Amino acid sequence: DTEVTQTPKHLVMGMTNKKSLKCEQHMGHRAMYWYKQKAKKPPELMFVYSYEKLSINESVPSRFSPECPNSSLLNLHLHALQPEDSALYLCASSQGGGYGYTFGSGTRLTVV
Amino acid sequence: TQLLEQSPQFLSIQEGENLTVYCNSSSVFSSLQWYRQEPGEGPVLLVTVVTGGEVKKLKRLTFQFGDARKDSSLHITAAQPGDTGLYLCAGRNTGNQFYFGTGTSLTVIP
């Protein structure tokens, strides 16, 4: 299995809702990442997990809460989002070091 | 965050033409990667370059890492509509994190 699987593919939520994005990989990768991407812009790093521990938080607002239940799973819990948080949310994994990332297809999030 | 500037930002060419995309920084990177992203999908890794001056070829794509490891280029020969997408370079810093460039959106017109 050489894929990163993200669910759901599309999500529409209100500003008072609570929802979660899920990411799964079975490649034995030790690092997992959340990125946010706006249209025609590069991905912006949000969080990095290394060996299931949060190692980088790029000053992301607390309405985004990551969780790594085990080495194969990564969640992003969403609460009280704003319309400007609408974007493509990408999960990626890597063996670490200089190895490249394997990205999922993303979750297209719309906040209304 | 190390700034990686890509040029051009947008490029629209006819099928069969050649093109070059540039990725420049004032920082030195231990390695650099190129990705292609199609609409609605995540980026897909094309190549990793590690050594200054290194050149790698992937069919019609040629990647070069600058001698000083601060810049890179991607050259596509005889572009095809299937090459359409967002091209992203990503440089690896001393903290082992990759930071993406500003992106080049390529459209190849049949």
Side-chain angles (χ1 to χ4, degrees), chain B residues 11 40-41 66 74 77 108:
Chain B
L11 187 57
E41 297 294 328
L74 157 61
T77 304
V108 181

Side-chain angles (χ1 to χ4, degrees), chain A residues 9 33 35 37 40-43 45 48 56 58 88 90 97-101 103-105 108, chain B residues 9-10 31 33 35 37 40-43 45 48 86 88 92 96-102 105:
Chain A
K9 202 162 177 62
Y33 310 80
Y35 282 87
Q37 187 178 28
K40 296 283 174 86
K41 298 292 186 183
L45 182 64
V48 179
I56 292 179
E58 291 282 342
L88 180 68
L90 293 163
Y99 289 93
Y101 295 174
F103 280 89
S105 297
R108 174 72 60 191
Chain B
Q9 186 177 1
F10 298 98
S31 65
Q33 299 177 340
Y35 292 81
Q37 184 177 21
E41 297 294 328
L45 179 65
T48 300
L86 180 67
L88 296 158
R92 176 189 170 203
N96 280 336
Q97 298 305 327
F98 281 95
Y99 288 92
F100 283 94
T102 49
S105 180

